[in-house]
Amino acid sequence: MRKKIIAGNWKMNKTPSEAAALIHDLKDKCNSGASDVVFCVPYVDLSTALDLLKGTNIAVGAQNMHFEDSGAFTGEISAPMLKEMGVRYVIIGHSERREYFAETDVTVNKKVKKALSAGLIPILCVGETLTQREQGITVDLLRQQTRIAFLDVTAADAAKTVVAYEPIWAIGTGKVATDEQAQEACAAIRRVIGEIYAQATAQAIRIQYGGSVSAANAKGLFAMPDIDGGLVGGASLKADFAQIVNS
Ligand code: PGA
């Protein structure tokens, strides 16, 4: 049995004082330990989140990192920096990073490997655009993104990774994938993991759905056999997040 994992992706929202207020609102309601819960906050909120969530079942994640340990990369943050702070998860290859910051499957692969070697758990995002879905190439695209992301990653490391299936057309649009569409895509990703590694790895890896997850639709999505939780954007900034965690 895979333990469900619900992660909030705060994106570029909340100053440190606002972050503290939101964490105070949410932490007791998200702390049952029945599922793994992660708050992926902006870099400047990491120390606040780590302080306030110490001793709870809620882990802290970052939303990006560089693939080198250190060097002349102005404005970037490295895996060892996050690790030393006590950060446990890092979102890699979110579609907004791919679209606005020119991340590619190749840089995503470098980041996945670096995160794992530093002892961070990557939340690897994959997903198709509306055009790609309409062209019928969703599964091909997911195969390509997944295969490249896991190049030169051992089975043991792959099993620790969390994959988030995030159809781009559902992100921030209020247009959620149906339970069946989300299930089909997550099952396809699991099949690809099974092509790369043994079935045991495919069965161990946790695959989230992300894209307009809400308190109203979470229960149906999370009940699907290949969906092991969610990556939640907009609704992670509200009291609704606790309802999502508890569905
Ligand atoms: P959303 O974002 O829940 O606001 O659609 C999800 C995400 O981008 O991870």
Side-chain angles (χ1 to χ4, degrees):
M1 260 310 270
R2 296 179 295 267
K3 191 174 185 186
K4 294 261 192 283
I5 175 162
I6 321 294
N9 174 10
W10 290 15
K11 308 194 180 184
M12 194 175 72
N13 293 292
K14 304 295 177 187
T15 66
S17 62
E18 292 166 349
L22 181 58
I23 291 168
H24 279 300
D25 280 352
L26 287 176
K27 82 171 176 187
D28 291 341
K29 301 179 198 131
C30 296
N31 195 28
S32 79
S35 310
D36 287 338
V37 178
V38 189
F39 290 180
C40 298
V41 306
Y43 291 134
V44 295
D45 297 337
L46 286 171
S47 64
T48 303
L50 287 159
D51 278 350
L52 294 176
L53 295 170
K54 205 170 281 164
T56 71
N57 293 309
I58 304 168
V60 175
Q63 300 172 12
N64 178 39
M65 49 161 253
H66 198 271
F67 50 77
E68 294 291 348
D69 284 339
S70 63
F73 300 103
T74 303
E76 291 292 314
I77 299 287
S78 72
M81 293 173 184
L82 297 174
K83 181 68 183 170
E84 186 178 311
M85 288 186 82
V87 170
R88 290 185 37 213
Y89 292 82
V90 57
I91 298 174
I92 302 284
H94 189 280
S95 61
E96 288 151 16
R97 303 269 345 147
R98 295 178 191 250
E99 181 176 355
Y100 306 131
F101 302 97
E103 295 204 15
T104 65
D105 290 337
V106 172
T107 58
V108 165
N109 171 243
K110 289 185 183 178
K111 292 181 179 196
V112 166
K113 285 187 289 189
K114 180 55 72 176
L116 287 162
S117 73
L120 297 166
I121 298 176
I123 301 177
L124 161 69
C125 301
V126 295
E128 81 287 1
T129 62
L130 188 57
T131 310
Q132 288 162 334
R133 175 161 284 266
E134 286 170 350
Q135 294 295 315
I137 58 169
T138 298
V139 172
D140 295 331
L141 192 269
L142 294 175
R143 170 173 288 108
Q144 171 176 321
Q145 290 180 326
T146 306
R147 289 199 80 112
I148 298 175
F150 283 105
L151 269 178
D152 300 322
V153 175
T154 65
D157 275 348
K160 292 179 210 155
T161 303
V162 176
V163 179
Y165 165 61
E166 296 212 305
I168 294 168
W169 48 270
I171 295 178
T173 58
K175 206 173 144 195
V176 66
T178 64
D179 297 348
E180 291 72 24
Q181 284 173 323
Q183 161 59 26
E184 204 179 308
C186 290
I189 293 166
R190 202 178 300 286
R191 274 198 303 279
V192 174
I193 307 281
E195 289 167 15
I196 310 172
Y197 305 101
Q199 271 311 308
T201 308
Q203 289 310 315
I205 201 164
R206 294 185 292 179
I207 304 179
Q208 300 174 313
Y209 167 78
S212 298
V213 173
S214 69
N217 61 35
K219 214 184 176 89
L221 288 161
F222 299 171
M224 302 308 281
D226 284 293
I227 302 181
D228 305 313
L231 182 57
V232 184
S236 71
L237 300 168
K238 303 185 281 193
D240 293 39
F241 189 66
Q243 276 170 267
I244 295 172
V245 165
N246 294 312
S247 40

Short mmCIF file of all heavy atoms in Angstrom, two decimals, residues 66 68-76:
data_model
loop_
_atom_site.label_atom_id
_atom_site.label_comp_id
_atom_site.label_asym_id
_atom_site.label_seq_id
_atom_site.Cartn_x
_atom_site.Cartn_y
_atom_site.Cartn_z
N HIS A 66 18.77 24.57 -8.29
CA HIS A 66 19.72 24.43 -9.39
C HIS A 66 20.32 23.02 -9.37
O HIS A 66 20.26 22.34 -8.35
CB HIS A 66 20.82 25.49 -9.29
CG HIS A 66 21.55 25.67 -10.59
ND1 HIS A 66 22.66 24.94 -10.93
CD2 HIS A 66 21.29 26.48 -11.64
CE1 HIS A 66 23.07 25.30 -12.16
NE2 HIS A 66 22.24 26.23 -12.61
N GLU A 68 23.57 22.38 -9.97
CA GLU A 68 24.96 22.37 -9.48
C GLU A 68 24.94 22.63 -7.98
O GLU A 68 24.01 23.24 -7.45
CB GLU A 68 25.78 23.46 -10.18
CG GLU A 68 25.99 23.24 -11.68
CD GLU A 68 26.88 22.06 -12.02
OE1 GLU A 68 27.55 21.52 -11.10
OE2 GLU A 68 26.91 21.66 -13.19
N ASP A 69 26.01 22.20 -7.30
CA ASP A 69 26.09 22.39 -5.84
C ASP A 69 26.36 23.83 -5.45
O ASP A 69 25.93 24.29 -4.39
CB ASP A 69 27.22 21.52 -5.25
CG ASP A 69 26.81 20.06 -5.18
OD1 ASP A 69 25.59 19.77 -5.20
OD2 ASP A 69 27.71 19.20 -5.14
N SER A 70 27.16 24.51 -6.29
CA SER A 70 27.54 25.89 -5.97
C SER A 70 28.15 26.48 -7.23
O SER A 70 28.38 25.77 -8.21
CB SER A 70 28.59 25.91 -4.84
OG SER A 70 29.77 25.25 -5.28
N GLY A 71 28.41 27.77 -7.22
CA GLY A 71 29.10 28.38 -8.35
C GLY A 71 28.47 29.67 -8.80
O GLY A 71 27.63 30.25 -8.10
N ALA A 72 28.89 30.12 -9.98
CA ALA A 72 28.48 31.43 -10.50
C ALA A 72 27.12 31.30 -11.20
O ALA A 72 27.04 31.26 -12.43
CB ALA A 72 29.56 31.95 -11.44
N PHE A 73 26.09 31.21 -10.41
CA PHE A 73 24.72 31.09 -10.94
C PHE A 73 23.85 32.09 -10.16
O PHE A 73 23.07 31.71 -9.28
CB PHE A 73 24.19 29.66 -10.79
CG PHE A 73 25.03 28.65 -11.53
CD1 PHE A 73 25.92 27.83 -10.86
CD2 PHE A 73 24.94 28.55 -12.92
CE1 PHE A 73 26.71 26.92 -11.54
CE2 PHE A 73 25.73 27.65 -13.61
CZ PHE A 73 26.63 26.83 -12.93
N THR A 74 24.04 33.34 -10.47
CA THR A 74 23.39 34.43 -9.72
C THR A 74 21.89 34.20 -9.58
O THR A 74 21.21 33.94 -10.57
CB THR A 74 23.67 35.77 -10.44
OG1 THR A 74 25.07 35.95 -10.53
CG2 THR A 74 23.04 36.94 -9.68
N GLY A 75 21.44 34.27 -8.34
CA GLY A 75 20.00 34.16 -8.10
C GLY A 75 19.52 32.76 -7.87
O GLY A 75 18.33 32.56 -7.58
N GLU A 76 20.40 31.77 -7.99
CA GLU A 76 19.96 30.38 -7.86
C GLU A 76 20.20 29.83 -6.44
O GLU A 76 20.98 30.38 -5.67
CB GLU A 76 20.69 29.50 -8.88
CG GLU A 76 20.26 29.78 -10.32
CD GLU A 76 18.83 29.36 -10.60
OE1 GLU A 76 18.44 28.25 -10.20
OE2 GLU A 76 18.09 30.15 -11.22
#
